[in-house]
Amino acid sequence: MNEFENRSLSDAELYFWLCQMARQLDSGIVIVNTKKGYTIDFVNHVFSRMTDYNEHDMIGMTIDKLRGPQTDLLNEEAIQESIENGLTFKTSSLHYRKDGSNFWNEVNIIPMHNQYGELQYSVLMMRDLTDSINVEALIELEREVYFSLENGDSFEQIMNKICSTVSATFGKKCFNSIVLVDDYNRMKYVYGDLTEEIHFFDEELLLVGLTFNENTSIKKPFIIKNLSESRYNEIFKPLIEKHPFVSLWSQPILNTEGKIIGLFSVYFEQQAEPLAADFKFLNRVVPIVTLAVKYYEQKYAIRQLIYQDATTGLTNFERFKNKMMSLIEHGFEGALFIIAPGEYQNIVDLQGRQAGDEILRQLAGRLQKLSTFDDSIIARYTSSSIIVATRTRNQQVRIPQQEIDDILFEPYYINEKETYLTLKIGTAPFNKNEPFIDAIRKSDIALSNALKASGTVVKRFEQSQIESVEQEMNVLAHITKGLKNNEFLPMLQPKVNIATGEIESFEALARWVSSEIGFVSPAVFIPVAENTGNIYKIDRAILRKVLQWLEERAALGLKLYQVSVNISPSHFYNAGFVENSITLIESYNIDPKYIKFEITESIELDNVMRAKKIINELKANGIDTAIDDFGVGYSSLSYLQKLPFEEIKIDKSFVDNLADPRMNAVVKTIIQLSKNLNMISVAEGIETEEQHEELKRLGCQTGQGYYYFKPLPLEEINKLLEVSVPV
């Protein structure tokens, strides 16, 4: 008996696919059975990792299992009501893990109905927001502290505000104190919840955390899990007698020179061991205290910190927003640009975060000199991007190509080393008729589209981009089902001898007609499959269909042709790629010489040694390889001579521009190069008689494109081969 046996057919199908989707998502998923007392039927591995509760702990239980002492019960009632009434609902709640530690949980409830419209399940998508909420609390605290200082609030008010924020953010009952000391480690000031009690302590005994940190080379938190059982029991006995404190966390407060000037302490009434998020939070609270302590000496610097990005010196996003809102309130309109260096992450990986900051600083300096951005607001947007707002009447600002060339032609310098960039730019208009945040969102969407393209590119926001994202999400939801239902099929496009017109071989092109969403373009489903790790399954599904076709022809005594199958980057570099491919080919009793693997040039062939090893293994087993889309990647000539490909495929973009003398010369060079390296040259995308004749004149050996044949289903290919008339 399996888990679906007691369900109706529609219920079982719904439950099966909910579970399948849940296993692939990177959110915590809980499936609640609304027909069985609103108990839990399923939890995925992300939920278990997030809460430490496994499926045995949760199945048959209710979502109440995650409640704890500080959980907002009214919010939990709203969650339960939404589950029971089949309502979509999103909220954040303080929940508890199996070990008793708490975390902020974003809960998104999605009701699921069967084909008859009956509510069957509620799917709860969960995400740990602790870090985000901590960061938001700190950002808000920084803002409040800065403005409190500017507004003349007393130092005591500011310190107490910091303590109260920490208490509220931790989500567990605690008391906080800030103790500041002089140059001789004598207690000067005490702030927070325990001011009165701490004043009665002997200061030398109180500051055990201070002494601990003075004796270590690394200033780090001082943690006592159980005060009454520690060696400091006597020191804290008076405080324990007054309050039922169990644990203490003390974080040293450092000045700008790295000297300890005090302690930030948190006392808990239950045993509490800090998690990584807690350490991170404390580490970010203490600098706020330091800034406040040094305020009167650094008033100007603090004002600058409010509005500047400290690492690049650029205006920060907060100041940018203030300026933008002021512009819009005064009726100005214009365009937003979000600009990201395409190589930013590589620079950071190779040379560190400071190098990334330096690249943005230099880029901003060049942007400020462009006439397009005269009188514009330029600021740092994210760690890897710059945002620019420029005013114009028609909201359609274009950056002239000459200006883009100007900022990219000269090298950028990091540690005296030359670095060249490409730019990814997303742009959208802003005006008084829509919220400023929407203009930011649209520019972000345009940037995401730009990041998918190669080279320097400017993408303007279009509504179709949102529709494209929605389409991709819909495709993601159906790929697994498509694989299970055998919906991915090859279309074969003949590769023709240009001199004789005879069909020499074929390329298998993956096509998908979903039973639910219809035809899906490869340009849509392939990127989605690559991003979700399903692409290798599609590769193998196409290879399997090709092998079946070859096996059927062999059984009928018909001529066999070599078929090229495209292989995705992640599949190509998979450790079991060669062995699994050979095993599959042998299972159909097909000679490996009838299979050729096409490898896209942008497949990280900079890793030449690894690619060469894989290609040689394939060659040793009788499988040819081809380099696809040759000429559109990077450093082609530098690695081509080192890799034993049998075939070079000239990209369609070159064929389209054969009439251009310079492009014609490039194609001629590629064809000659292939001859010198004993490789077959194949021109893709041939569509006209003129292209055919010119490639024939240039000596290209093989052609492929609509001029000869379009991609055809396997049954039509069989009919074509029965005739087998040269074109």
Side-chain angles (χ1 to χ4, degrees):
M1 180 177 292
N2 59 51
E3 57 184 313
F4 305 107
E5 192 165 304
N6 292 325
R7 307 174 194 269
S8 67
L9 179 60
S10 60
D11 185 14
E13 291 176 341
L14 177 59
Y15 180 75
F16 175 81
W17 291 115
L18 287 177
C19 293
Q20 288 292 96
M21 285 296 298
R23 293 185 179 101
Q24 297 183 55
L25 295 177
D26 59 0
S27 297
I29 303 294
V30 174
I31 300 177
V32 175
N33 191 327
T34 59
K35 298 295 186 181
K36 197 169 65 176
Y38 306 103
T39 56
I40 295 169
D41 270 6
F42 175 89
V43 297
N44 70 354
H45 67 286
V46 179
F47 172 89
S48 298
R49 188 170 65 242
M50 187 168 65
T51 65
D52 292 331
Y53 286 113
N54 59 36
E55 59 182 358
H56 300 296
D57 297 322
M58 298 302 296
I59 292 176
M61 307 299 291
T62 66
I63 198 64
D64 294 349
K65 184 90 170 176
L66 299 180
R67 293 183 184 180
Q70 302 295 317
T71 301
D72 185 343
L73 296 182
L74 289 177
N75 195 39
E76 295 298 297
E77 290 176 7
I79 291 174
Q80 189 61 34
E81 288 176 5
S82 299
I83 293 173
E84 294 176 5
N85 295 313
L87 302 176
T88 300
F89 183 63
K90 185 176 182 179
T91 188
S92 297
S93 191
L94 188 67
H95 282 160
Y96 287 74
R97 302 181 181 88
K98 190 174 183 178
D99 64 4
S101 62
N102 56 38
F103 67 105
W104 286 101
N105 190 8
E106 180 188 78
V107 182
N108 194 355
I109 301 174
I110 305 171
M112 291 292 171
H113 301 80
N114 64 14
Q115 58 187 341
Y116 305 108
E118 300 170 336
L119 178 65
Q120 295 293 312
Y121 302 98
S122 277
V123 176
L124 279 61
M125 302 182 67
M126 298 182 177
R127 188 162 60 98
D128 188 343
L129 292 180
T130 305
D131 280 348
S132 299
I133 288 178
N134 285 353
V135 169
E136 290 172 5
L138 286 166
I139 292 172
E140 185 60 28
L141 176 60
E142 288 176 346
R143 183 205 297 269
E144 291 179 5
V145 167
Y146 294 145
F147 285 107
S148 293
L149 290 168
E150 292 289 347
N151 292 332
D153 289 356
S154 71
F155 193 78
E156 181 178 4
Q157 287 177 311
I158 295 169
M159 293 295 102
N160 289 338
K161 181 178 293 184
I162 292 173
C163 289
S164 62
T165 298
V166 173
S167 295
T169 305
F170 266 133
K172 53 174 75 79
K173 190 172 182 181
C174 61
F175 295 79
N176 301 275
S177 69
I178 297 174
V179 178
L180 301 178
V181 298
D182 61 16
D183 291 338
Y184 302 96
N185 287 346
R186 292 179 301 202
M187 184 167 52
K188 289 198 305 184
Y189 306 107
V190 181
Y191 304 98
D193 303 318
L194 304 171
T195 303
E196 190 174 324
E197 291 90 336
I198 291 178
H199 269 306
F200 288 98
F201 276 75
D202 183 303
E203 58 192 33
E204 291 183 15
L205 298 179
L206 172 67
L207 300 176
V208 290
L210 175 63
T211 303
F212 170 82
N213 275 281
E214 288 288 2
N215 292 330
T216 62
S217 59
I218 301 175
K219 308 300 187 291
K220 58 182 181 180
F222 178 70
I223 310 299
I224 304 177
K225 297 179 184 178
N226 194 311
L227 288 168
S228 61
E229 296 178 2
S230 74
R231 57 176 173 157
Y232 305 109
N233 176 45
E234 290 300 319
I235 296 175
F236 290 98
K237 189 173 182 180
L239 191 60
I240 296 173
E241 289 176 348
K242 188 166 185 179
H243 297 279
F245 293 146
V246 178
S247 296
L248 165 66
W249 305 349
S250 275
Q251 179 80 11
I253 301 169
L254 310 179
N255 64 11
T256 52
E257 290 74 39
K259 184 181 184 301
I260 296 178
I261 59 173
L263 286 176
F264 186 95
S265 299
V266 188
Y267 298 83
F268 298 94
E269 293 185 351
Q270 73 273 14
Q271 186 160 314
E273 184 172 356
L275 303 173
D278 299 322
F279 280 122
K280 188 185 300 182
F281 181 73
L282 287 175
N283 284 334
R284 293 193 62 180
V285 167
V286 169
I288 300 174
V289 179
T290 302
L291 284 174
V293 170
K294 292 295 182 180
Y295 170 73
Y296 293 102
E297 301 172 6
Q298 304 171 335
K299 184 174 182 179
Y300 176 76
I302 293 175
R303 184 183 293 114
Q304 291 298 101
L305 285 173
I306 300 174
Y307 300 123
Q308 277 194 339
D309 175 61
T311 55
T312 62
L314 295 173
T315 298
N316 66 16
F317 186 61
E318 188 63 31
R319 179 62 170 163
F320 179 85
K321 285 197 301 183
N322 293 340
K323 288 184 177 182
M324 279 302 306
M325 290 176 182
S326 176
L327 284 179
I328 293 173
E329 287 173 3
H330 287 85
F332 289 103
E333 59 186 27
L336 289 178
F337 293 85
I338 301 178
I339 304 171
E343 295 70 27
Y344 179 86
Q345 192 57 51
N346 289 338
I347 291 169
V348 170
D349 290 344
L350 291 172
Q351 303 191 54
R353 187 68 57 183
Q354 290 180 338
D357 295 335
E358 177 60 19
I359 282 292
L360 290 187
R361 189 189 64 76
Q362 293 182 35
L363 174 60
R366 297 189 189 188
L367 292 172
Q368 289 168 339
K369 296 176 182 178
L370 299 184
S371 61
T372 302
F373 293 150
D374 281 346
D375 196 27
S376 295
I377 308 170
I378 300 178
R380 186 167 189 169
Y381 178 47
T382 66
S383 63
S384 60
S385 65
I386 291 171
I387 189 167
V388 182
T390 187
R391 291 177 286 177
T392 180
R393 292 182 178 179
N394 59 16
Q395 303 179 48
Q396 291 296 321
V397 177
R398 294 184 180 275
I399 310 176
Q401 185 61 45
Q402 183 59 50
E403 292 196 339
I404 292 178
D405 292 342
D406 287 344
I407 61 177
L408 296 177
F409 181 76
E410 294 295 332
Y412 292 75
Y413 289 90
I414 304 172
N415 299 326
E416 300 182 354
K417 293 182 179 180
E418 293 185 352
T419 300
Y420 288 88
L421 302 179
T422 59
L423 295 182
K424 315 299 182 182
I425 305 172
T427 180
F430 69 83
N431 55 63
K432 62 182 179 180
N433 297 322
E434 66 176 343
F436 167 64
I437 198 67
D438 282 354
I440 294 282
R441 179 179 61 85
K442 290 177 179 179
S443 299
D444 260 328
I445 292 171
L447 176 64
S448 296
N449 200 29
L451 288 168
K452 297 176 182 177
S454 59
T456 294
V457 62
V458 180
K459 292 291 186 180
R460 301 183 182 281
F461 171 78
E462 298 175 359
Q463 187 62 33
S464 60
Q465 293 168 358
I466 293 180
E467 295 168 359
S468 175
V469 173
E470 292 174 344
Q471 182 187 34
E472 289 179 6
M473 294 302 294
N474 190 34
V475 167
L476 172 60
H478 291 85
I479 278 182
T480 301
K481 189 171 184 179
L483 285 165
K484 183 180 180 183
N485 291 344
N486 213 18
E487 294 174 351
F488 291 91
L489 300 171
M491 298 274 274
L492 299 190
Q493 186 172 34
K495 295 159 77 172
V496 174
N497 184 304
I498 291 181
T500 66
E502 294 181 356
I503 295 174
E504 294 183 329
S505 58
F506 296 90
E507 179 182 0
L509 302 171
R511 295 293 184 264
W512 178 26
V513 179
S514 168
S515 59
E516 297 185 359
I517 59 177
F519 174 78
V520 185
S521 168
V524 174
F525 75 75
I526 288 178
V528 174
E530 287 175 340
N531 292 335
T532 58
N534 284 304
I535 189 65
Y536 82 94
K537 298 178 183 177
I538 295 176
D539 287 349
R540 286 183 63 81
I542 298 303
L543 176 58
R544 190 180 297 277
K545 288 291 183 182
V546 167
L547 291 168
Q548 288 175 355
W549 178 69
L550 290 170
E551 182 183 49
E552 289 169 1
R553 289 187 65 84
L556 295 172
L558 300 174
K559 180 180 178 180
L560 300 188
Y561 291 81
Q562 187 181 65
V563 180
S564 298
V565 178
N566 292 282
I567 299 299
S568 66
S570 59
H571 191 188
F572 177 76
Y573 281 116
N574 184 281
F577 166 61
V578 175
E579 181 181 352
N580 293 338
S581 298
I582 295 299
T583 300
L584 183 59
I585 293 170
E586 289 178 346
S587 69
Y588 285 89
N589 295 315
I590 297 299
D591 191 324
K593 70 179 182 180
Y594 291 110
I595 296 297
K596 178 181 289 183
F597 288 140
E598 289 194 10
I599 304 161
T600 304
E601 184 181 2
S602 58
I603 197 174
E604 302 175 11
L605 287 178
D606 54 316
N607 190 346
V608 173
M609 296 306 295
R610 188 177 174 197
K612 183 176 182 179
K613 181 177 183 295
I614 296 170
I615 294 170
N616 278 329
E617 286 181 10
L618 292 170
K619 192 171 186 177
N621 284 280
I623 300 177
D624 289 347
T625 53
I627 179 167
D628 197 11
D629 300 333
F630 181 76
V632 299
Y634 301 99
S635 305
S636 303
L637 296 178
S638 67
Y639 62 69
L640 187 59
Q641 61 182 340
K642 301 176 184 178
L643 298 174
F645 293 110
E646 280 77 25
E647 179 179 284
I648 297 177
K649 300 198 74 178
I650 304 170
D651 187 67
K652 183 181 185 297
S653 61
F654 290 86
V655 175
D656 288 342
N657 293 282
L658 273 174
D660 182 336
R662 298 180 66 181
M663 189 64 76
N664 190 290
V666 171
V667 173
K668 182 177 180 180
T669 300
I670 295 174
I671 293 170
Q672 186 59 49
L673 175 66
S674 67
K675 290 180 180 178
N676 294 343
L677 296 174
N678 295 317
M679 298 179 186
I680 298 170
S681 57
V682 180
E684 295 184 288
I686 301 173
E687 297 180 350
T688 67
E689 174 73 21
E690 291 76 14
Q691 291 171 343
H692 165 77
E693 289 298 330
E694 181 60 18
L695 288 164
K696 184 177 180 180
R697 186 186 71 81
L698 293 174
C700 185
Q701 296 160 283
T702 305
Q704 181 180 345
Y706 276 55
Y707 173 72
Y708 308 110
F709 300 99
K710 66 181 181 179
L712 297 169
L714 296 176
E715 54 271 19
E716 292 189 31
I717 290 292
N718 287 331
K719 293 178 182 178
L720 175 66
L721 293 176
E722 288 177 7
V723 179
S724 189
V725 177
V727 296

